[in-house]
Amino acid sequence: MTIFKKMAKKALFLGLLLMSASSIIANAQTAGLGTWPTQKPIRLIAVFPPGGSVDQVARTLAPALQAELKQNVIVENIGGASGVIGTAAMTRSDPDGYTFAVVFDTHGVNPSLKDKLPYDTIKDIAPVTLIGTSPMVLVASKKSGITSFKQLVDQSKAGKQFSYGSIGIGSLGHLAMARLAKQAGFDWNHIPYRGGGPLMQDVLGGQVPLAVGSEFLVKPHIDSGGVIPLVITTAKRSPALPNVPTISESGFPGFNAPAWWAVLAPGKTPPVIVNAMNQAVTKALKTPAVAEKLKAQGIEIVAGNPETLRDFIGKQIAVWGKFVIENNIRETQ
């Protein structure tokens, strides 16, 4: 192929990309919404309190998303009920492309855990983008006296009861530890928190001896020496914590429970807006400032189209919903 043919081929490819972007904008205009998103700032609801991983992921993403969309992106924390309150606020918002939510893995558990959600997880929500997945890490307070997972297992098998905190009943951290305890025959006491910020404050202060949270949440405290990492929940070790063993290689083969984050929209948001936001989030995730920070905190970026996220959430609901029902896990626990 001559250099001229290569240049022509490249020009054609770039032209098609520009036509695709123009088509998205034109379709948004046709939908009667004007040139999205120029009408007003975009509201990005973080469905957990400040200080947790959802809050941090949303605030890491917002500046790059703002640059990509050329519109202000405002992060608003609406925490409570394992992400339900913030998600409900998102579903009640106008489906005009100006309200989205960043949710956590609890989103895939809540339909089975809650007796009645204030929204339909399928009909009232439009999947946008799967941001990424990450190991969860079981950490020990420096005041607990626990320095290794083997020590914890040995003492648990000897009959000692330990308490551990998670970001809430039915969170993936809670379910992962409940599965481990059941598999091993441990008798552990679960302490639910309203979010990662309050959880880490208490484990750092020694009010709770153990905590399980996403690597994104706990790694800064591991790096500072505030907590001791014991084990991670994914099948493979994390590049960000190469010396921390997996549960699977620590006597419980096949154990795998990753944390995840996603962007959602109100269910009736026009598909053209959902797809445009999907592309904007995907591009924002690829910017060095976002990609490097998420990678440093153990998040493996996934992105993908809305259907990828829809399928992923469906599988999460099926797997963990079954565990919740089979083990009679209730919000009062």
Side-chain angles (χ1 to χ4, degrees):
M1 183 181 291
T2 67
I3 188 171
F4 299 105
K5 287 183 178 180
K6 289 181 179 179
M7 292 175 63
K9 187 175 181 180
K10 185 175 181 180
L12 177 61
F13 177 72
L14 292 174
L16 289 173
L17 286 179
L18 290 173
M19 288 174 64
S20 176
S22 298
S23 176
I24 289 173
I25 295 173
N27 288 336
Q29 292 173 325
T30 302
L33 296 173
T35 306
W36 182 85
T38 61
Q39 294 179 1
K40 56 184 177 181
I42 290 174
R43 182 185 181 207
L44 190 62
I45 297 174
V47 302
F48 277 85
S53 67
V54 173
D55 174 61
Q56 294 178 56
V57 168
R59 294 185 187 279
T60 297
L61 182 62
L65 195 57
Q66 181 168 298
E68 181 64 34
L69 293 172
K70 296 179 175 56
Q71 179 60 274
N72 289 336
V73 176
I74 300 172
V75 176
E76 179 180 354
N77 294 91
I78 304 180
S82 296
V84 170
I85 295 175
T87 304
M90 183 269 294
T91 62
R92 291 193 299 266
S93 301
D94 291 336
D96 57 3
Y98 290 93
T99 301
F100 298 87
V102 175
V103 301
F104 195 43
D105 49 49
T106 54
H107 184 76
V109 179
N110 287 334
S112 301
L113 182 72
K114 314 286 184 182
D115 289 334
K116 187 177 181 181
L117 291 176
Y119 50 82
D120 186 301
T121 306
I122 304 300
K123 296 179 181 179
D124 296 336
I125 293 170
V128 178
T129 309
L130 178 58
I131 294 172
T133 63
S134 168
M136 286 180 290
V137 189
L138 179 64
V139 299
S141 166
K142 296 190 77 171
K143 297 181 180 181
S144 69
I146 296 296
T147 58
S148 72
F149 185 63
K150 184 181 184 304
Q151 179 190 8
L152 175 64
V153 169
D154 289 345
Q155 291 189 16
S156 296
K157 286 183 176 180
K160 184 173 182 179
Q161 186 184 65
F162 286 93
S163 294
Y164 71 93
S166 80
I167 64 166
I169 295 170
S171 67
L172 209 57
H174 170 214
L175 298 186
M177 292 302 100
R179 173 177 282 181
L180 174 62
K182 181 180 180 181
Q183 188 174 343
F186 298 158
D187 184 19
W188 285 354
N189 178 44
H190 175 232
I191 302 175
Y193 284 78
R194 283 176 50 86
L199 169 62
M200 294 313 297
Q201 286 180 7
D202 274 9
V203 73
L204 288 168
Q207 284 79 20
V208 60
L210 303 168
V212 59
S214 68
E215 187 176 304
F216 191 97
L217 172 66
V218 305
K219 189 172 183 298
H221 303 291
I222 293 172
D223 292 343
S224 68
V227 296
I228 301 167
L230 303 179
V231 75
I232 65 171
T233 65
T234 44
K236 296 180 180 181
R237 292 197 183 198
S238 167
L241 295 170
N243 296 322
V244 181
T246 69
I247 291 176
S248 182
E249 68 182 307
S250 301
F252 303 92
F255 197 99
N256 186 32
W260 56 272
W261 299 260
V263 177
L264 306 178
K268 293 184 179 180
T269 304
V272 64
I273 298 295
V274 171
N275 289 331
M277 185 62 166
N278 171 272
Q279 291 187 21
V281 173
T282 298
K283 290 179 181 178
L285 289 171
K286 292 179 180 179
T287 60
V290 175
E292 290 171 8
K293 183 168 184 178
L294 296 185
K295 180 180 178 181
Q297 300 302 332
I299 293 182
E300 181 179 352
I301 294 173
V302 177
N305 58 35
E307 286 305 313
T308 298
L309 176 55
R310 187 183 303 279
D311 292 344
F312 179 87
I313 290 176
K315 291 176 182 177
Q316 291 290 307
I317 290 174
V319 170
W320 292 106
K322 180 180 179 182
F323 182 80
V324 167
I325 294 169
E326 288 180 347
N327 293 275
N328 197 32
I329 294 176
R330 303 294 183 192
E331 287 190 283
T332 53
Q333 290 182 296

